[in-house]
Amino acid sequence: MTVKTRVAPSPTGDPHVGTAYVALMNYLFAKQHGGTFILRIEDTDRARSTLESEQVILKALTWMGLSWSEGPDVGGPNGPYRQSERSDIYAKYADQLLADGHAFRCFCTPERLDALRARQSSEGQPPRYDGRCLHVPAAEAEARVAAGEPHVLRMKVPSEGVCVFNDMARGDIEIPWDSVDMQVLMKSDGFPTYHLANVVDDHLMGITHVLRGEEWIPSAPKHQLLYRYFGWDMPQLFHLPLLRNPDKSKLSKRKNPTSVLFYERMGYLPEALTNFLGLSAVSQADGDELMDFATLQSRFDVSNISLGGPIFDISKLDWLNGRWLREVLSPEGFRAAVNAWITPAYLNEVADMAQSRVTRLSDLGPATSFLFAGRLEPSLATLLDGKLDQPTLNRALNLASIGFEREADWTQAAIEGVLRTVAEMTGAKFKDLVRHMFIVMTGKPQSLPLFRSMELMGRDIARERMRESIAVLGGASAKEVKAWTADLDKHLKARAAEAAAEPAVES
Ligand code: GLU
């Protein structure tokens, strides 16, 4: 059997280091067995998936040194490799499940399902579909479909017994069937859910081994059942431990930067990041931890992966990156790294922005240095050099951070919009808030145009500067963040309603 693995990212945001880690594990596993590695885009969530996100994910994985023999960009014999382009395929398999009696149409309204969930949660029960539509007679279901009634397709699951499936790292895992929900397979918009699309594609694309995050363990029974319904062999599963913060909590944006783009903008080498992520799967008992791709590949062994979860320890990444820059790169290699980091195009953007602010060209260094830096490590006194007091500024920066995450596009207009909203919510004058933002983003109360600077430095660096300043100001508890998020959302909703209610301006 030729080994074939895949990475199957959902293009719903920035390229996450967790995705890079899973991709690297699948890549190394395939190569170690003389097999192939492919990439598939799982964009069945039409509301959240974007082509831009797909593009940056592909770019980030390529930057990491990974390549795939089949994928949306390179094609291949099992395409298309974007699930949104495979609707006909899923419809055919969904019909088959229905015809074979393994699935049923469900006409329950979202209101009924909400009420059901609320009742179950008040009774301390896990949320589960109660099976009402299992009993709709076939002829009636067809008539309701013909009449255009919205519906979904759900899979049937056994009501008793235990599902046993094998995990390469954990051995047999048992999950009682009565804890497995009657999963929706086809949504009312005609798109499949992850579960159906994932199983159909892994089978049709000839995937033999699935290395994926451990958060998918609860989905394995549903997948096993689908493989059985279709009469297909299930790939071997290896659920990878999640990357963790040094305090062992799940790696999250709030505590650590999680986007590969951040590490690129901070000036980490892709070789160092790959080395760092790969260390969790090689025996470190012998030899240097500094490893190039070929060494990682030759020393890769999934049995070295500790199920406790690899710690994403930035100080270790720093140590490795420094060694890569100083000891491994040749002078030519170092020059190439610098040129890839400060591209002529970026320098031109900086020049365009700075032109109106300089007296001598030699002002450029001090005026623009914040655009070539990572963290600025501001002191409390520096941050408070303005009109806002500490609690107000802390709340304002937290609100702004949440607001920035809400924005799909990282543009000057979006950045300014968020800050205006925050000023309104905190009662601060916009100009006073902006002065503090200058300090957070550039280190000084006045500098180059703020919104353009933030756009240019990119969302990831801006996010990190917000994070470090918030930490200096005292930070926020999870409870506060929750309350502020709700506040901001309420405010944004009210503003959107106001805008919608405004009479159209006559032309
Ligand atoms: N699309 C899923 C994700 O984004 C893939 C899960 C899997 O590998 O089965 O994590």
Side-chain angles (χ1 to χ4, degrees), residues 9-16 19 39-43 48-64 66 68 72-74 81-82 85 259-261 264 409:
S10 298
T12 54
D14 286 341
H16 198 281
T19 304
L39 184 141
R40 174 173 80 230
I41 290 294
E42 300 207 325
D43 56 351
R48 295 178 57 225
S49 300
T50 65
L51 209 55
E52 295 84 69
S53 164
E54 174 188 319
Q55 279 159 358
V56 285
I57 291 173
L58 261 58
K59 213 171 122 210
L61 295 178
T62 306
W63 176 77
M64 298 269 305
L66 300 175
W68 36 93
D73 51 344
V74 293
Y81 293 92
R82 229 177 250 123
E85 294 167 13
S259 165
V260 174
L261 302 177
E264 184 182 3
D409 299 320

Side-chain angles (χ1 to χ4, degrees), residues 465-488:
R465 291 186 185 168
M466 295 294 280
R467 194 198 333 259
E468 60 173 357
S469 291
I470 288 171
V472 171
L473 290 165
S477 66
K479 215 168 127 194
E480 280 170 321
V481 171
K482 209 170 145 199
W484 289 338
T485 306
D487 247 20
L488 185 82

Side-chain angles (χ1 to χ4, degrees), residues 375-426:
R375 299 184 178 89
L376 300 178
E377 297 172 11
S379 69
L380 181 61
T382 316
L383 285 172
L384 290 177
D385 177 7
K387 294 246 164 71
L388 272 57
D389 61 20
Q390 187 169 343
T392 311
L393 183 58
N394 186 27
R395 182 162 155 253
L397 293 190
N398 273 283
L399 284 168
S401 290
I402 302 164
F404 291 150
E405 297 307 319
R406 288 278 185 280
E407 290 297 331
D409 299 320
W410 188 248
T411 58
Q412 295 186 65
I415 294 164
E416 182 177 346
V418 168
L419 294 177
R420 286 199 182 275
T421 304
V422 171
E424 228 175 272
M425 291 177 69
T426 52

Side-chain angles (χ1 to χ4, degrees), residues 166-206:
N166 188 266
D167 179 289
M168 287 164 69
R170 296 166 179 77
D172 283 348
I173 297 181
E174 298 189 0
I175 297 184
W177 280 119
D178 68 5
S179 70
V180 179
D181 202 3
M182 293 173 227
Q183 179 64 49
V184 173
L185 298 176
M186 291 292 267
K187 296 178 273 190
S188 54
D189 63 4
F191 273 94
T193 55
Y194 153 76
H195 304 277
L196 177 67
N198 186 274
V199 165
V200 167
D201 287 349
D202 278 346
H203 174 71
L204 295 181
M205 295 178 183

Side-chain angles (χ1 to χ4, degrees), residues 6-12 19 22 26 40-43 83 194 198 202 210-213 215-216 223:
R6 48 63 171 184
V7 66
S10 298
T12 54
T19 304
V22 170
N26 277 282
R40 174 173 80 230
I41 290 294
E42 300 207 325
D43 56 351
Q83 290 186 328
Y194 153 76
N198 186 274
D202 278 346
V210 169
L211 285 75
R212 65 178 171 197
E215 73 271 28
W216 298 105
H223 298 182

